Amino acid sequence: MRRTRRKAEETRQDILATAEDLFRERGIGRCSIADIATELQMSPANVFKHFGSKTQLADAICDRHIHRMIDRFALLNDPAPAPQKLGIVVRRLMEAHLSDIKENPYLFEMILMMSDADLPSGRHYKHLIDSLFGEVLKEGVAAGVYTCRDPEQLSSTVASAFSAILHPVFLVKTDPADLHERCEGLIELVNAALQNPLAK
Amino acid sequence: MRRTRRKAEETRQDILATAEDLFRERGIGRCSIADIATELQMSPANVFKHFGSKTQLADAICDRHIHRMIDRFALLNDPAPAPQKLGIVVRRLMEAHLSDIKENPYLFEMILMMSDADLPSGRHYKHLIDSLFGEVLKEGVAAGVYTCRDPEQLSSTVASAFSAILHPVFLVKTDPADLHERCEGLIELVNAALQNPLAK
């Protein structure tokens, strides 16, 4: 039994790696489940056993990328005060997204293709980003620099406020100089909100 | 000469109206310049003389909609104090965008199709939105409620902070209840920033 399960997981990983290579080479729009099966010398039925649709496959590939990206954010042990740390986190996230779009344009194609669907990878991304901001907020509140009452709830609002420098729709079409100016403006705005001594 | 110019403008308006009808009926992806010319009993060359590409045509249609939408925002004479007015403007903008997406889904298709191009209608939209926020900021500063030094410059940052409730990418995929919660959270966050007595 254990052997079979390991085998299934290996097959799943093989399919993901091959699909990612083909999506990268040809673009997701020009690549079918049958193409992936052929490349793996496997029957399409076997691929479908692991991933019920191309969307599910794309979703799993996005999820791998989200994991790898967020793993690079183990900077929260940085001793900087919260307002500075917020800036560091936001700039790093934006740079990570920008280089992803440059190095893996097929990822962007997938995200746009799936952007009107509510998929596990999107929810997972949102959860990780919210937590990242939540940690900074909690630290700031603990240190008495931030004045908000409910950091947990506020983290999602703060993450939304940075959409215009984190979502690929904006990253792709905005001029890099404008993007950096917008990024600094938003960091300053959000820090002003979080440090307002009169805020609820 | 004047007569010819008026004639050209009439033809331009005819093309726009017919293109809009066809885009609405069939979707922009399934509609060519040739289809529009046939509908108008015109040669495709004549359509091309007015609009060099389908993108230019879509851009002009978007621009008409932006004008009509912003015209509905003559609420700035409202006597409410700036922080309340900011909330009114943001909620109204979001509702206007939501009803546009519902009533004119082909508009959303066009915006997504054009979202990686830097087009006049996009720049025009950004300019109008920035001005709308700029007016509220200036009023707030004049009344001593907002503390920011440069309302002109800040208006663009404030507009960006609301992207997650104004850009169609988010409006289409987010659950309405979550969207309204996000909207209220962002209004509160931005108002806290603008009212921070210590802010630069």
Side-chain angles (χ1 to χ4, degrees):
Chain A
M1 181 62 190
R2 184 175 292 176
R3 165 132 185 78
T4 320
R5 213 180 296 147
R6 190 159 41 204
K7 186 89 194 344
E9 183 50 31
E10 269 169 33
T11 309
R12 208 185 118 87
Q13 293 302 329
D14 282 350
I15 296 171
L16 278 179
T18 303
E20 195 167 349
D21 286 346
L22 288 184
F23 288 172
R24 187 193 308 264
E25 276 168 35
R26 307 183 195 169
I28 184 169
R30 287 165 297 287
C31 185
S32 66
I33 294 263
D35 294 333
I36 297 161
T38 306
E39 190 73 21
L40 283 159
Q41 298 180 295
M42 210 180 251
S43 74
N46 203 5
V47 176
F48 274 114
K49 213 169 63 188
H50 290 86
F51 299 96
S53 67
K54 208 161 81 171
T55 304
Q56 270 185 30
L57 197 48
D59 185 44
I61 291 175
C62 281
D63 213 50
R64 288 219 298 189
H65 272 274
I66 291 164
H67 261 293
R68 280 185 219 145
M69 190 197 63
I70 296 287
D71 279 349
R72 285 184 265 152
F73 281 83
L75 90 159
L76 287 167
N77 297 320
D78 191 301
Q84 251 172 279
K85 204 179 269 192
L86 183 81
I88 296 172
V89 167
V90 170
R91 283 182 211 107
R92 272 218 196 177
L93 267 178
M94 185 176 82
E95 296 302 336
H97 287 39
L98 280 173
S99 70
D100 251 350
I101 286 173
K102 209 168 160 187
E103 284 157 34
N104 305 306
Y106 70 99
L107 267 183
F108 174 66
E109 195 193 347
M110 286 200 297
I111 291 167
L112 277 197
M113 210 187 76
M114 306 189 304
S115 70
D116 55 346
D118 184 25
L119 291 172
S121 63
R123 286 197 297 272
H124 187 201
Y125 173 80
K126 186 168 165 28
H127 174 73
L128 288 171
I129 296 287
D130 287 0
S131 310
L132 207 55
F133 286 117
E135 288 306 311
V136 181
L137 262 61
K138 266 183 261 171
E139 272 189 44
V141 171
V145 199
Y146 285 161
T147 48
C148 59
R149 258 192 237 148
D150 188 347
E152 201 79 44
Q153 203 198 334
L154 197 59
S155 63
S156 169
T157 300
V158 168
S160 304
F162 289 111
S163 298
I165 54 143
L166 295 183
H167 194 286
V169 160
F170 302 101
L171 292 175
V172 163
K173 82 168 182 182
T174 314
D175 167 81
D178 291 349
L179 207 55
H180 284 90
E181 201 186 314
R182 185 188 293 173
C183 178
E184 295 308 316
L186 284 170
I187 292 168
E188 212 173 298
L189 186 82
V190 172
N191 267 328
L194 297 173
Q195 293 177 86
N196 186 338
L198 311 171
K200 285 174 287 186
Chain B
M1 179 64 191
R2 188 175 289 176
R3 163 131 186 80
T4 321
R5 215 180 292 148
R6 192 160 38 204
K7 186 92 195 343
E9 183 51 32
E10 269 170 30
T11 310
R12 208 185 117 88
Q13 294 301 329
D14 282 350
I15 296 171
L16 278 179
T18 304
E20 196 168 349
D21 286 346
L22 287 184
F23 288 173
R24 190 193 307 263
E25 276 168 34
R26 308 184 194 169
I28 185 171
R30 286 165 300 287
C31 185
S32 67
I33 295 263
D35 294 334
I36 297 161
T38 306
E39 191 73 20
L40 283 159
Q41 297 180 295
M42 209 181 253
S43 73
N46 203 5
V47 177
F48 274 114
K49 212 169 65 189
H50 289 86
F51 298 96
S53 65
K54 206 161 81 173
T55 304
Q56 269 184 31
L57 196 49
D59 185 44
I61 292 174
C62 282
D63 213 49
R64 289 219 296 189
H65 272 274
I66 291 165
H67 260 292
R68 279 184 221 147
M69 189 196 64
I70 295 288
D71 279 350
R72 281 184 267 151
F73 281 83
L75 91 158
L76 288 167
N77 298 320
D78 192 300
Q84 252 171 279
K85 206 180 266 193
L86 184 82
I88 297 172
V89 168
V90 170
R91 283 181 211 108
R92 272 219 195 177
L93 269 178
M94 186 176 83
E95 295 303 337
H97 287 40
L98 280 173
S99 70
D100 251 350
I101 287 175
K102 211 169 158 185
E103 283 156 34
N104 305 306
Y106 70 99
L107 268 183
F108 174 64
E109 195 194 347
M110 286 200 296
I111 292 169
L112 276 196
M113 211 188 76
M114 307 190 303
S115 71
D116 53 348
D118 184 23
L119 291 173
S121 62
R123 286 196 297 272
H124 186 200
Y125 172 80
K126 188 172 165 22
H127 174 73
L128 288 171
I129 295 286
D130 287 2
S131 311
L132 207 56
F133 286 117
E135 288 307 311
V136 181
L137 263 62
K138 267 184 260 172
E139 273 188 42
V141 170
V145 199
Y146 285 161
T147 49
C148 59
R149 257 191 239 151
D150 188 348
E152 201 80 43
Q153 204 199 333
L154 197 58
S155 62
S156 170
T157 301
V158 168
S160 304
F162 290 112
S163 298
I165 55 143
L166 295 182
H167 194 286
V169 159
F170 301 101
L171 292 175
V172 164
K173 82 168 183 182
T174 314
D175 167 79
D178 291 348
L179 208 53
H180 284 89
E181 199 186 315
R182 188 188 291 173
C183 179
E184 295 308 315
L186 284 171
I187 292 168
E188 212 174 298
L189 186 81
V190 171
N191 267 329
L194 297 173
Q195 293 178 86
N196 186 338
L198 312 170
K200 285 173 285 184

